[in-house]
Amino acid sequence: MTVKNKLSKTIAAAAVLAASAIFAPAALAHGTPDPMYGGVVQTVNHVVFELVATPDGALVYTLDHDEPVDASRYDGKLTVLNGADKSEAPLKHAGGNKLEAKGVKLLPGAKVVAVLNTSSKKTITVRFTAK
């Protein structure tokens, strides 16, 4: 095989690889689900976490394919950065698929990090931007 033929095959293979990289994600992606509780949604490890501001703190709902996930298997901490102000609160089970953090204030644009520990001793980090 000549150098020219090898180069042609390499270019053709690269073109096929590039085309598959461009078109495959659109066919395979699920996208971010719509909020069910009026909050901000992030998906981590196939679990949907929805952050919702409340008058005295925040709630984090847990879902899998629009079905509630028992939040009693999680505990952790919610950290909120409102500009230069930082506040933290423990996330505690609040019944069903809800975790609650009391005493934090979610202002629009606040950066929020939920660090959750599972009952199987795994740590999950979920990042939100409050709306």
Side-chain angles (χ1 to χ4, degrees):
M1 185 179 281
T2 67
V3 172
K4 187 175 181 182
N5 285 344
K6 284 183 182 179
L7 184 59
S8 294
K9 287 187 176 188
T10 302
I11 291 171
V16 169
L17 182 61
S20 66
I22 292 169
F23 296 110
L28 299 175
H30 293 291
T32 303
D34 292 329
M36 293 184 67
Y37 301 95
V40 180
V41 176
Q42 292 294 336
T43 303
V44 178
N45 295 339
H46 304 289
V47 177
V48 174
F49 296 91
E50 184 172 349
L51 175 71
V52 178
T54 64
D56 61 340
L59 295 173
V60 176
Y61 291 90
T62 56
L63 301 152
D64 186 4
H65 292 96
D66 296 334
E67 294 295 321
V69 171
D70 180 13
S72 68
R73 64 189 228 194
Y74 300 105
D75 68 5
K77 177 174 69 171
L78 193 72
T79 303
V80 180
L81 298 171
N82 286 312
D85 295 332
K86 177 180 174 181
S87 60
E88 296 180 338
L91 276 166
K92 297 187 178 189
H93 184 239
N97 67 326
K98 270 191 299 195
L99 296 164
E100 184 174 36
K102 290 187 177 184
V104 294
K105 187 165 187 107
L106 299 182
L107 298 176
K111 303 299 182 195
V112 182
V113 178
V115 178
L116 303 169
N117 304 304
T118 68
S119 55
S120 62
K121 307 297 183 212
K122 292 183 182 179
T123 300
I124 299 170
T125 303
V126 188
R127 299 177 194 288
F128 302 93
T129 299
K131 62 177 186 173

